[in-house]
Amino acid sequence: MTACLSKEKLKIGLVSVSDRASQGVYQDQGIPELEAWLHAAIIGEFEVETRLIPDEQVVIEQTLIELVDVHACHLVLTTGGTGPAKRDVTPDATLAIAHREMPGFGEQMRQVSLHFVPTAILSRQVSVIRHESLILNLPGQPKAIKETLEGVKDENGKVLVKGIFSAVPYCLQLLSEIYIETNPKVCETFRPKAARK
């Protein structure tokens, strides 16, 4: 089984937004966590474009536009810069370059995170569509990234609250007709029967 049954290969942009990591003060953990999770979750091959940038709204906007408009990424995942602090401007930049907003993703991320920390309510994560691409703001902490993607699981691995990635393949299919499958042991894809291949 391959990740994409269409001729087009899935392309994913990963953006870590952090002043200190981009300056080399400490090693970025967001992109390595995202890459590892995606390789475990997605069946088949896909391409990745990565960017490590500071918390500057103009830079974030330019990076998102480049990944979608120039590199034709079907999916762009950002990590970091989603809180209420003055330098947390990732959601603002994401909304500024959006064509349409997808509020359900942000709502579900906060719902999942609230099972782990009460401060999840402070998150301003958003999801948008630009052209035929989906852009998702994820948390900055590696543990929280995995939780929001996979959902809340019990000690036996049974999903109690679905993570956001279970809806991502069908969303991408609706946007660009690209068809991807996921490893159900990591994250089970949901799509209507009529949309399955």
Side-chain angles (χ1 to χ4, degrees):
M1 187 182 295
T2 59
C4 306
L5 299 182
S6 62
K7 294 178 182 177
E8 200 174 2
K9 182 185 280 189
L10 175 65
K11 194 162 190 183
I12 303 174
L14 303 179
V15 183
S16 186
V17 183
S18 169
D19 284 333
R20 290 179 292 172
S22 65
Q23 293 165 2
V25 176
Y26 63 75
Q27 192 169 4
D28 172 61
Q29 295 180 316
I31 288 174
E33 173 65 26
L34 280 169
E35 285 193 288
W37 191 89
L38 289 167
H39 280 290
I42 296 175
I43 297 172
E45 295 181 2
F46 55 91
E47 295 178 23
V48 174
E49 285 278 341
T50 64
R51 300 288 185 274
L52 176 56
I53 59 175
D55 290 279
E56 297 287 350
Q57 183 165 342
V58 173
V59 176
I60 300 168
E61 289 179 22
Q62 290 171 343
T63 301
L64 296 177
I65 291 170
E66 176 205 357
L67 289 172
V68 172
D69 295 19
V70 179
H71 294 283
C73 291
H74 301 92
L75 174 66
V76 178
L77 304 176
T78 73
T79 173
T82 58
K86 192 176 290 186
R87 295 287 292 171
D88 290 335
V89 293
T90 303
D92 310 271
T94 304
L95 290 170
I97 59 88
H99 294 151
R100 290 185 288 167
E101 191 174 355
M102 295 289 286
F105 284 105
E107 292 165 5
Q108 187 64 9
M109 279 190 271
R110 283 181 282 277
Q111 179 63 34
V112 169
S113 294
L114 279 167
H115 282 79
F116 301 100
V117 289
T119 50
I121 202 166
L122 302 178
S123 168
R124 300 190 304 120
Q125 294 151 330
V126 298
S127 174
V128 305
I129 293 167
R130 179 177 173 85
H131 300 303
E132 296 177 346
S133 302
L134 178 66
I135 303 172
L136 294 167
N137 295 159
L138 298 174
Q141 295 300 318
K143 181 174 179 287
I145 290 171
K146 183 177 180 181
E147 289 166 353
T148 54
L149 291 170
E150 287 186 22
V152 181
K153 298 181 178 180
D154 66 16
E155 61 275 5
N156 299 316
K158 182 183 177 184
V159 177
L160 304 175
V161 180
K162 289 197 178 290
I164 61 163
F165 206 84
S166 61
V168 167
Y170 183 49
C171 184
L172 296 181
Q173 186 178 347
L174 290 171
L175 288 173
S176 62
E177 297 185 355
I178 195 158
Y179 195 92
I180 64 172
E181 291 281 9
T182 56
N183 179 350
K185 292 181 180 177
V186 179
C187 177
E188 191 167 4
T189 296
F190 176 82
R191 50 170 57 94
K193 286 182 180 178
R196 296 174 193 166
K197 293 185 179 179

